[in-house]
Amino acid sequence: MRNVFGNNLTITLFGESHGDAIGACIDGLSSGIYIDEEFIAKQMDKRKPKGSISTARKESDVCHIVSGVFEGYTTGTTLTIIITNDNKISKDYEKTKDIARPSHADFSASKRYLGFQDYRGGGHFSGRLTAAIVACGAICLQMLDSKGIKVASHIKSIGNIEDDDFDMSIIDEQMDKLNDSYFATLNDDISDKMQRLIEDMAKNMDSIGGSIETIVTNVPSGIGEPYFDSIESIISHGLFSIGAIKAVEFGDGIAMSKMSGSKANDPFRIQDGKVVTVTNHNGGINGGITNGMPIIVRSYIKPTPSIYQKQDSINFKTMTNETLEIKGRHDPCITHRIRVVIDSMIAICLCDMLQTRNTTLYFNAKEKL
C-alpha cells in the first residue's frame, strides 16, 4: 500500500476526505530553502471553490508546517504539512456506501482494500487530497523560481469552448496574468463563456470536463533519462496521480501523428549564443530529455462524476442492480480548480528530476554564517 511519489525528492500523501486531516511529508529537501507561507496560502486559494461554478464545501485550507522548517528556512529534514478537515457532512455517504457511484473508485477501492477503506467523500481517493499536493507544489514552485524556472497554466477548454493559444512574443506577461488569476484564461471573453457553460451544466444537474495547457520556461537542457525515467514519463506519472486526468500530451502530441516529418521536426538554430529550435512541436523534449525550449503539457480532465441525475448502478455487497441518486456537495466542473494542482505536480516532478540530475546540492543555499 504505497502513497509515495518521487526519487530524490519524495512526497507522501496521507489522510481521507472526511478524516480529521490530510497532509503530506516531503523528504529530500535541501537545507536553507526559504519557505514563503504567504505564497503557499495564495496557491491554496486558487484551488478553493468559489461561486456557483464550484462545490459548496468550503474549507479554510490553512497549512500547518509541523516539521522541517526553522526560522523560515528548511532544515533538510522531513517537512510535514497538516491541513485540517473542518467542513464535513459524512451522513450523505452512509446510505449509499455499498453502491458504486459511476466513474468513482467505490467498487475498485473496495476490492483493493477488502472493504476496509474509508468510504466517506471518497476517502483517500477524494480530490480533497489534492490540497496537500498544492501545498507541496507551492514549495517546489518557490524552488524553481529561485533558479529562474517559471510554470503557468491556462484553461485551454471547457467542453467545446476553447481559449486562445500561448503567444511566445508576450509569454512572460501572459504567465504573470495566469498566475494571478482564479479562473485562468488568456481571453477574458472566453472566460465568461466557459463560466456560463458550467453554470448551465449545474442547473441541469450535470457536469462538464475540460483541458489545461501548461508551459514551463527557462528549463535547462539535459534533464531527464532515456526510456523509463524520461521527462515525459515522470511528469505523466505525476499527472496521472490526479484522479480526474484521463489523458496527457506533450507539445503538439496527437496533432503530430497527422503531420509529415518536414512539418513536425523542430529545426535547430543558434540565437544570441544559445541553442534554440525554430518551432516547438515536441514541447521542449527530445529523446526524453529537455532541450532548453519551453516544456508544453496538456492535461485532459473528465467531467466530475458526481452528478445529481438518477443513474444506473449496483450494490456490490448484495450484488443487485440499483438506481442511484446522489446527495452531497459537488463541483459541476473541476477544471478551473485543478489548474493549480497541475502546476504543483509538474513543479514537484521537475524538482525531483533536477535533484536527481545534479544531486541534492542543486537547490542548496550558501552555508549559514
Side-chain angles (χ1 to χ4, degrees), residues 250-287:
F250 294 84
D252 285 339
I254 296 169
M256 289 182 73
S257 68
K258 302 174 184 177
M259 296 180 183
S260 62
S262 59
K263 297 296 183 182
N265 287 346
D266 299 316
F268 284 101
R269 305 297 293 170
I270 302 296
Q271 182 176 304
D272 299 325
K274 294 175 59 178
V275 175
V276 299
T277 59
V278 177
T279 54
N280 193 23
H281 300 302
N282 286 276
I285 303 168
N286 296 133

mmCIF file of all heavy atoms in Angstrom, residues 250-287:
data_model
loop_
_atom_site.group_PDB
_atom_site.id
_atom_site.type_symbol
_atom_site.label_atom_id
_atom_site.label_comp_id
_atom_site.label_asym_id
_atom_site.label_seq_id
_atom_site.Cartn_x
_atom_site.Cartn_y
_atom_site.Cartn_z
ATOM 1 N N PHE A 250 2.278 16.016 -24.825
ATOM 2 C CA PHE A 250 3.382 16.962 -24.799
ATOM 3 C C PHE A 250 3.546 17.595 -26.174
ATOM 4 O O PHE A 250 3.431 16.914 -27.194
ATOM 5 C CB PHE A 250 4.679 16.256 -24.398
ATOM 6 C CG PHE A 250 4.662 15.752 -22.977
ATOM 7 C CD1 PHE A 250 4.095 14.527 -22.674
ATOM 8 C CD2 PHE A 250 5.207 16.511 -21.952
ATOM 9 C CE1 PHE A 250 4.069 14.053 -21.364
ATOM 10 C CE2 PHE A 250 5.184 16.060 -20.638
ATOM 11 C CZ PHE A 250 4.616 14.828 -20.344
ATOM 12 N N GLY A 251 3.818 18.896 -26.181
ATOM 13 C CA GLY A 251 3.956 19.593 -27.448
ATOM 14 C C GLY A 251 2.689 19.492 -28.261
ATOM 15 O O GLY A 251 1.586 19.632 -27.732
ATOM 16 N N ASP A 252 2.832 19.207 -29.544
ATOM 17 C CA ASP A 252 1.654 19.070 -30.403
ATOM 18 C C ASP A 252 1.079 17.661 -30.379
ATOM 19 O O ASP A 252 0.089 17.376 -31.060
ATOM 20 C CB ASP A 252 1.995 19.481 -31.837
ATOM 21 C CG ASP A 252 2.111 20.993 -31.970
ATOM 22 O OD1 ASP A 252 1.559 21.704 -31.106
ATOM 23 O OD2 ASP A 252 2.777 21.462 -32.911
ATOM 24 N N GLY A 253 1.704 16.771 -29.617
ATOM 25 C CA GLY A 253 1.147 15.477 -29.291
ATOM 26 C C GLY A 253 0.382 14.786 -30.387
ATOM 27 O O GLY A 253 0.943 14.356 -31.395
ATOM 28 N N ILE A 254 -0.926 14.706 -30.193
ATOM 29 C CA ILE A 254 -1.797 13.977 -31.117
ATOM 30 C C ILE A 254 -1.730 14.564 -32.523
ATOM 31 O O ILE A 254 -1.721 13.828 -33.512
ATOM 32 C CB ILE A 254 -3.245 13.978 -30.595
ATOM 33 C CG1 ILE A 254 -3.315 13.205 -29.267
ATOM 34 C CG2 ILE A 254 -4.202 13.378 -31.611
ATOM 35 C CD1 ILE A 254 -4.619 13.366 -28.522
ATOM 36 N N ALA A 255 -1.652 15.896 -32.609
ATOM 37 C CA ALA A 255 -1.612 16.531 -33.929
ATOM 38 C C ALA A 255 -0.384 16.101 -34.723
ATOM 39 O O ALA A 255 -0.420 16.036 -35.959
ATOM 40 C CB ALA A 255 -1.632 18.054 -33.776
ATOM 41 N N MET A 256 0.718 15.766 -34.038
ATOM 42 C CA MET A 256 1.940 15.357 -34.743
ATOM 43 C C MET A 256 1.740 14.044 -35.491
ATOM 44 O O MET A 256 2.426 13.785 -36.483
ATOM 45 C CB MET A 256 3.107 15.231 -33.765
ATOM 46 C CG MET A 256 3.610 16.561 -33.240
ATOM 47 S SD MET A 256 5.018 16.367 -32.122
ATOM 48 C CE MET A 256 6.319 15.934 -33.262
ATOM 49 N N SER A 257 0.812 13.225 -35.024
ATOM 50 C CA SER A 257 0.572 11.945 -35.699
ATOM 51 C C SER A 257 -0.024 12.139 -37.082
ATOM 52 O O SER A 257 -0.045 11.201 -37.891
ATOM 53 C CB SER A 257 -0.336 11.062 -34.848
ATOM 54 O OG SER A 257 -1.652 11.610 -34.779
ATOM 55 N N LYS A 258 -0.502 13.341 -37.349
ATOM 56 C CA LYS A 258 -1.115 13.639 -38.649
ATOM 57 C C LYS A 258 -0.197 14.486 -39.540
ATOM 58 O O LYS A 258 -0.580 14.869 -40.632
ATOM 59 C CB LYS A 258 -2.441 14.361 -38.428
ATOM 60 C CG LYS A 258 -3.427 13.575 -37.580
ATOM 61 C CD LYS A 258 -4.673 14.389 -37.255
ATOM 62 C CE LYS A 258 -5.602 13.617 -36.325
ATOM 63 N NZ LYS A 258 -6.792 14.409 -35.930
ATOM 64 N N MET A 259 1.015 14.802 -39.032
ATOM 65 C CA MET A 259 1.956 15.650 -39.769
ATOM 66 C C MET A 259 2.959 14.807 -40.555
ATOM 67 O O MET A 259 3.193 13.638 -40.239
ATOM 68 C CB MET A 259 2.742 16.542 -38.803
ATOM 69 C CG MET A 259 1.950 17.557 -38.031
ATOM 70 S SD MET A 259 3.078 18.511 -36.950
ATOM 71 C CE MET A 259 1.904 19.553 -36.082
ATOM 72 N N SER A 260 3.588 15.429 -41.516
ATOM 73 C CA SER A 260 4.768 14.851 -42.165
ATOM 74 C C SER A 260 5.990 15.222 -41.327
ATOM 75 O O SER A 260 5.946 16.149 -40.506
ATOM 76 C CB SER A 260 4.928 15.406 -43.580
ATOM 77 O OG SER A 260 5.135 16.824 -43.530
ATOM 78 N N GLY A 261 7.087 14.506 -41.529
ATOM 79 C CA GLY A 261 8.303 14.796 -40.784
ATOM 80 C C GLY A 261 8.808 16.200 -41.030
ATOM 81 O O GLY A 261 9.318 16.866 -40.117
ATOM 82 N N SER A 262 8.661 16.686 -42.251
ATOM 83 C CA SER A 262 9.151 18.021 -42.580
ATOM 84 C C SER A 262 8.384 19.108 -41.838
ATOM 85 O O SER A 262 8.909 20.198 -41.605
ATOM 86 C CB SER A 262 9.055 18.262 -44.093
ATOM 87 O OG SER A 262 7.709 18.138 -44.537
ATOM 88 N N LYS A 263 7.151 18.818 -41.456
ATOM 89 C CA LYS A 263 6.349 19.786 -40.690
ATOM 90 C C LYS A 263 6.538 19.604 -39.184
ATOM 91 O O LYS A 263 6.509 20.564 -38.419
ATOM 92 C CB LYS A 263 4.866 19.623 -41.044
ATOM 93 C CG LYS A 263 4.515 19.907 -42.497
ATOM 94 C CD LYS A 263 4.764 21.355 -42.869
ATOM 95 C CE LYS A 263 4.325 21.619 -44.306
ATOM 96 N NZ LYS A 263 4.611 23.021 -44.724
ATOM 97 N N ALA A 264 6.716 18.356 -38.749
ATOM 98 C CA ALA A 264 6.782 18.077 -37.314
ATOM 99 C C ALA A 264 8.147 18.354 -36.706
ATOM 100 O O ALA A 264 8.252 18.648 -35.512
ATOM 101 C CB ALA A 264 6.401 16.621 -37.051
ATOM 102 N N ASN A 265 9.206 18.268 -37.518
ATOM 103 C CA ASN A 265 10.548 18.478 -36.985
ATOM 104 C C ASN A 265 10.743 19.921 -36.533
ATOM 105 O O ASN A 265 10.204 20.854 -37.141
ATOM 106 C CB ASN A 265 11.602 18.129 -38.034
ATOM 107 C CG ASN A 265 11.722 16.633 -38.261
ATOM 108 O OD1 ASN A 265 11.218 15.839 -37.467
ATOM 109 N ND2 ASN A 265 12.385 16.244 -39.338
ATOM 110 N N ASP A 266 11.543 20.098 -35.474
ATOM 111 C CA ASP A 266 11.868 21.425 -34.944
ATOM 112 C C ASP A 266 13.312 21.756 -35.314
ATOM 113 O O ASP A 266 14.257 21.250 -34.669
ATOM 114 C CB ASP A 266 11.710 21.457 -33.421
ATOM 115 C CG ASP A 266 10.290 21.157 -32.970
ATOM 116 O OD1 ASP A 266 9.358 21.706 -33.579
ATOM 117 O OD2 ASP A 266 10.119 20.388 -32.002
ATOM 118 N N PRO A 267 13.536 22.594 -36.340
ATOM 119 C CA PRO A 267 14.907 22.897 -36.781
ATOM 120 C C PRO A 267 15.703 23.627 -35.690
ATOM 121 O O PRO A 267 15.187 24.519 -35.013
ATOM 122 C CB PRO A 267 14.702 23.806 -37.996
ATOM 123 C CG PRO A 267 13.293 23.552 -38.440
ATOM 124 C CD PRO A 267 12.529 23.241 -37.198
ATOM 125 N N PHE A 268 16.964 23.240 -35.506
ATOM 126 C CA PHE A 268 17.843 23.881 -34.529
ATOM 127 C C PHE A 268 18.547 25.088 -35.144
ATOM 128 O O PHE A 268 18.915 25.092 -36.313
ATOM 129 C CB PHE A 268 18.909 22.889 -34.041
ATOM 130 C CG PHE A 268 18.389 21.881 -33.058
ATOM 131 C CD1 PHE A 268 18.079 20.588 -33.464
ATOM 132 C CD2 PHE A 268 18.215 22.217 -31.725
ATOM 133 C CE1 PHE A 268 17.603 19.647 -32.560
ATOM 134 C CE2 PHE A 268 17.745 21.284 -30.816
ATOM 135 C CZ PHE A 268 17.441 19.998 -31.224
ATOM 136 N N ARG A 269 18.732 26.121 -34.304
ATOM 137 C CA ARG A 269 19.495 27.319 -34.703
ATOM 138 C C ARG A 269 20.264 27.830 -33.488
ATOM 139 O O ARG A 269 19.941 27.481 -32.341
ATOM 140 C CB ARG A 269 18.578 28.436 -35.225
ATOM 141 C CG ARG A 269 17.650 28.057 -36.369
ATOM 142 C CD ARG A 269 18.393 27.652 -37.621
ATOM 143 N NE ARG A 269 19.115 28.766 -38.227
ATOM 144 C CZ ARG A 269 19.997 28.628 -39.210
ATOM 145 N NH1 ARG A 269 20.285 27.418 -39.670
ATOM 146 N NH2 ARG A 269 20.604 29.687 -39.723
ATOM 147 N N ILE A 270 21.279 28.668 -33.744
ATOM 148 C CA ILE A 270 21.980 29.393 -32.688
ATOM 149 C C ILE A 270 21.445 30.815 -32.686
ATOM 150 O O ILE A 270 21.456 31.500 -33.714
ATOM 151 C CB ILE A 270 23.509 29.412 -32.904
ATOM 152 C CG1 ILE A 270 24.048 27.982 -32.976
ATOM 153 C CG2 ILE A 270 24.190 30.209 -31.782
ATOM 154 C CD1 ILE A 270 23.878 27.201 -31.696
ATOM 155 N N GLN A 271 20.954 31.259 -31.535
ATOM 156 C CA GLN A 271 20.387 32.601 -31.413
ATOM 157 C C GLN A 271 20.932 33.253 -30.144
ATOM 158 O O GLN A 271 20.729 32.737 -29.050
ATOM 159 C CB GLN A 271 18.862 32.522 -31.350
ATOM 160 C CG GLN A 271 18.159 33.857 -31.265
ATOM 161 C CD GLN A 271 16.648 33.686 -31.298
ATOM 162 O OE1 GLN A 271 16.098 33.098 -32.232
ATOM 163 N NE2 GLN A 271 15.979 34.191 -30.280
ATOM 164 N N ASP A 272 21.598 34.379 -30.318
ATOM 165 C CA ASP A 272 22.205 35.087 -29.180
ATOM 166 C C ASP A 272 23.092 34.153 -28.361
ATOM 167 O O ASP A 272 23.111 34.193 -27.123
ATOM 168 C CB ASP A 272 21.123 35.693 -28.274
ATOM 169 C CG ASP A 272 20.256 36.712 -28.999
ATOM 170 O OD1 ASP A 272 20.804 37.429 -29.874
ATOM 171 O OD2 ASP A 272 19.049 36.775 -28.712
ATOM 172 N N GLY A 273 23.822 33.298 -29.039
ATOM 173 C CA GLY A 273 24.755 32.406 -28.376
ATOM 174 C C GLY A 273 24.119 31.204 -27.704
ATOM 175 O O GLY A 273 24.798 30.457 -26.991
ATOM 176 N N LYS A 274 22.827 30.982 -27.920
ATOM 177 C CA LYS A 274 22.114 29.871 -27.298
ATOM 178 C C LYS A 274 21.530 28.951 -28.366
ATOM 179 O O LYS A 274 21.188 29.389 -29.470
ATOM 180 C CB LYS A 274 20.975 30.386 -26.411
ATOM 181 C CG LYS A 274 21.425 31.165 -25.188
ATOM 182 C CD LYS A 274 20.238 31.727 -24.434
ATOM 183 C CE LYS A 274 19.276 30.653 -23.982
ATOM 184 N NZ LYS A 274 18.146 31.213 -23.198
ATOM 185 N N VAL A 275 21.390 27.679 -28.013
ATOM 186 C CA VAL A 275 20.732 26.719 -28.899
ATOM 187 C C VAL A 275 19.217 26.856 -28.732
ATOM 188 O O VAL A 275 18.691 26.801 -27.613
ATOM 189 C CB VAL A 275 21.161 25.279 -28.566
ATOM 190 C CG1 VAL A 275 20.379 24.276 -29.421
ATOM 191 C CG2 VAL A 275 22.662 25.100 -28.774
ATOM 192 N N VAL A 276 18.516 27.060 -29.848
ATOM 193 C CA VAL A 276 17.052 27.148 -29.831
ATOM 194 C C VAL A 276 16.510 26.309 -30.988
ATOM 195 O O VAL A 276 17.261 25.874 -31.862
ATOM 196 C CB VAL A 276 16.553 28.605 -29.972
ATOM 197 C CG1 VAL A 276 17.056 29.474 -28.829
ATOM 198 C CG2 VAL A 276 16.980 29.203 -31.316
ATOM 199 N N THR A 277 15.194 26.087 -30.972
ATOM 200 C CA THR A 277 14.538 25.491 -32.132
ATOM 201 C C THR A 277 13.566 26.512 -32.716
ATOM 202 O O THR A 277 12.980 27.313 -31.977
ATOM 203 C CB THR A 277 13.784 24.199 -31.762
ATOM 204 O OG1 THR A 277 12.793 24.486 -30.774
ATOM 205 C CG2 THR A 277 14.747 23.158 -31.229
ATOM 206 N N VAL A 278 13.424 26.478 -34.018
ATOM 207 C CA VAL A 278 12.575 27.462 -34.714
ATOM 208 C C VAL A 278 11.110 27.251 -34.342
ATOM 209 O O VAL A 278 10.351 28.197 -34.134
ATOM 210 C CB VAL A 278 12.771 27.348 -36.238
ATOM 211 C CG1 VAL A 278 11.839 28.327 -36.970
ATOM 212 C CG2 VAL A 278 14.224 27.618 -36.599
ATOM 213 N N THR A 279 10.699 25.998 -34.269
ATOM 214 C CA THR A 279 9.351 25.640 -33.809
ATOM 215 C C THR A 279 9.496 24.805 -32.534
ATOM 216 O O THR A 279 10.615 24.484 -32.124
ATOM 217 C CB THR A 279 8.608 24.839 -34.887
ATOM 218 O OG1 THR A 279 9.415 23.712 -35.275
ATOM 219 C CG2 THR A 279 8.314 25.706 -36.109
ATOM 220 N N ASN A 280 8.367 24.461 -31.921
ATOM 221 C CA ASN A 280 8.437 23.676 -30.683
ATOM 222 C C ASN A 280 7.337 22.620 -30.660
ATOM 223 O O ASN A 280 6.638 22.449 -29.668
ATOM 224 C CB ASN A 280 8.335 24.598 -29.462
ATOM 225 C CG ASN A 280 8.721 23.909 -28.162
ATOM 226 O OD1 ASN A 280 9.451 22.907 -28.169
ATOM 227 N ND2 ASN A 280 8.242 24.425 -27.052
ATOM 228 N N HIS A 281 7.212 21.890 -31.767
ATOM 229 C CA HIS A 281 6.190 20.847 -31.847
ATOM 230 C C HIS A 281 6.413 19.755 -30.796
ATOM 231 O O HIS A 281 5.454 19.126 -30.336
ATOM 232 C CB HIS A 281 6.178 20.220 -33.240
ATOM 233 C CG HIS A 281 5.882 21.182 -34.344
ATOM 234 N ND1 HIS A 281 4.724 21.936 -34.390
ATOM 235 C CD2 HIS A 281 6.598 21.531 -35.456
ATOM 236 C CE1 HIS A 281 4.730 22.701 -35.475
ATOM 237 N NE2 HIS A 281 5.851 22.480 -36.134
ATOM 238 N N ASN A 282 7.675 19.523 -30.428
ATOM 239 C CA ASN A 282 7.998 18.467 -29.471
ATOM 240 C C ASN A 282 7.872 18.912 -28.019
ATOM 241 O O ASN A 282 8.139 18.123 -27.108
ATOM 242 C CB ASN A 282 9.416 17.940 -29.727
ATOM 243 C CG ASN A 282 9.486 17.079 -30.973
ATOM 244 O OD1 ASN A 282 9.200 15.891 -30.932
ATOM 245 N ND2 ASN A 282 9.852 17.690 -32.092
ATOM 246 N N GLY A 283 7.480 20.151 -27.802
ATOM 247 C CA GLY A 283 7.231 20.622 -26.440
ATOM 248 C C GLY A 283 8.462 20.669 -25.563
ATOM 249 O O GLY A 283 8.395 20.401 -24.359
ATOM 250 N N GLY A 284 9.615 20.991 -26.143
ATOM 251 C CA GLY A 284 10.828 21.174 -25.354
ATOM 252 C C GLY A 284 11.516 19.908 -24.932
ATOM 253 O O GLY A 284 12.397 19.938 -24.054
ATOM 254 N N ILE A 285 11.177 18.770 -25.544
ATOM 255 C CA ILE A 285 11.725 17.477 -25.122
ATOM 256 C C ILE A 285 12.124 16.657 -26.346
ATOM 257 O O ILE A 285 11.336 16.478 -27.271
ATOM 258 C CB ILE A 285 10.694 16.682 -24.292
ATOM 259 C CG1 ILE A 285 10.234 17.498 -23.079
ATOM 260 C CG2 ILE A 285 11.272 15.340 -23.838
ATOM 261 C CD1 ILE A 285 9.022 16.930 -22.372
ATOM 262 N N ASN A 286 13.356 16.160 -26.344
ATOM 263 C CA ASN A 286 13.830 15.227 -27.373
ATOM 264 C C ASN A 286 14.488 14.041 -26.691
ATOM 265 O O ASN A 286 15.340 14.217 -25.809
ATOM 266 C CB ASN A 286 14.857 15.888 -28.308
ATOM 267 C CG ASN A 286 14.280 17.037 -29.123
ATOM 268 O OD1 ASN A 286 14.891 18.098 -29.199
ATOM 269 N ND2 ASN A 286 13.128 16.840 -29.731
ATOM 270 N N GLY A 287 14.094 12.836 -27.081
ATOM 271 C CA GLY A 287 14.692 11.642 -26.502
ATOM 272 C C GLY A 287 14.454 11.503 -25.013
ATOM 273 O O GLY A 287 15.252 10.886 -24.300
#
